[in-house]
Amino acid sequence: MKRIFKFFSFLIILSLFTAIKIRASIAVTSLTVRFEKDTAQYTISAIEQEGVLYVSLAEFSDVLGFGRFFNPKNKKMVVRMGNRAVKVSAFNPFLMVQETVKQMPLPAIEIRNELYVPLGIFLETLAGDFPYQSTFQPENKILTLWKIQYNIKNYTLEHKKNGLVIHLHTLRTFNPNEVAVALTQGWLHVTVYGGTLDTLAIFSNTPSGIVQKVLSYQFDHSAQISFLLTQQIQEKRVTCFSNRIEIALWYSERVPPMKVEAPVLPDVKNKWVIDAIVIDPGHGGKDPGAIGSSGTKEKEITLAIATRLKTLLENRLPNTRIELTRTSDTFVELEKRRQFANGRGAKLFISIHVNANTQRSLRGFSTYVLGVAKTKEAIEVAQKENSIVELEKTSDAYAEFQATEYILNAIAQNMFLKESQDLAREINTAVRQYTNMTLDRGVYQAGFLVLLGLNMPAVLVEAGYISNPAEERLLKTRTFQQKIAEALCEGIVKFKKQCEWAMK
Ligand SMILES: [Zn+2]
């Protein structure tokens, strides 16, 4: 009881302090909002605090014609932006966009029962969900907005006796190798690289015939539309025209309509409960991984960091099962690692590696998620980590893996790209905060075989360059291994908290 009282008095003092601090340093100002090709302009209330411009969310929503609802009790506002409901809470950096959580570097604030959001940060965090693009002139505080131009407008379905033709109506010509089509457990996933979806139009469209449900996802560099089908498909063909992408599907003959029981999209609630984590120490046994100039083997460093991470996570997350894909110097095939993670019901997968490059000056920490590599370096790193396959006895089984199309299709099925990217960002942020001994090289995408076909958010970290003599020395020290493990632990715990926040 006493402890509870203490906690509450602490909260009261904290909130008083916050309130005083905000009142003390704010300057009242205003923001002018304009729409492109429109002479009308609107003035909305704004304040400036420590160089950051906050605008009244209610007035901003009204100017844009967004519906809004404010609950003064818990100081939460829900704003309807097209087909998205965005939840904003006072003194809270998290935005809830439908079922996903986005984090702003600064929280929204509340002044006299009005919510104010940090304008630039707010718009940046909502990129992809906010239906306008904008430019801001800081000298005279003018925000100019224009409607986002989509290049994939909508879809239409053309039902045939022996099949189905899906037309994606586009505003530009796509190349066939920019379109990946994959069939899995009743879902047809269409990924268009460079695609920008009019998600509202797609959401408002009604599926028909054998198409039971349509879901769309907008990523940074690609768009995905998934169709849930009630009929088995035997053959598919993609053709690109100047203003549409045509996906022709042929039904399997003499096969009765399939009962769709297991859509790949997991139940939202279960998806977010991270009750099992698999840590994958890269390489092992006959596969040493990369070797440093003084003889340090990658497989030793990865096992040392992974073991430390397991202990740290067990202490921080006592209710979460933490497992390693190997606990000793043994050779484990990549496919076995994936099967282990899926089979053990892991809700998060982290593969630990160290980098190597012929350029010995390269150094630093990077995190990878499964995706299409966009840089030469990302391709090289994936090739290096995938080369373990050559050591595996059953290398024939991987022949199809090598095919680019296979990788593209598997990436198209990657329902956890967004979560994996969020996890990767949390890890890199933690590495920056926890260790000043390494350089943050950022988050990348590449086609890693160990990440293919995982049913959970998954990342691969390259914890430094063993080919850099200074970093090789560092990687061997217990202090650095512990620091890296602590940073990985912090990133994972932050990500887990975000997921749990999303469940509420
Ligand atoms: Zn490796």
Side-chain angles (χ1 to χ4, degrees), residues 14-23 49 54 74-76 88-94 104 106-118 501:
L14 184 77
S15 58
L16 278 177
F17 177 74
T18 320
I20 290 162
K21 198 182 156 212
I22 284 161
R23 298 249 148 84
Q49 189 195 327
Y54 290 79
N74 56 14
K75 307 203 185 307
K76 262 189 182 137
V88 186
S89 313
F91 307 110
N92 189 324
F94 295 105
M104 299 191 287
L106 282 172
I109 56 176
E110 184 245 343
I111 299 165
R112 287 180 211 100
N113 243 338
E114 275 245 39
L115 263 187
Y116 282 74
V117 290
W501 194 88

Side-chain angles (χ1 to χ4, degrees), residues 283 298 353-354 384-385:
H283 312 278
E298 179 180 358
H353 290 259
V354 296
K384 172 177 74 72
E385 301 302 1

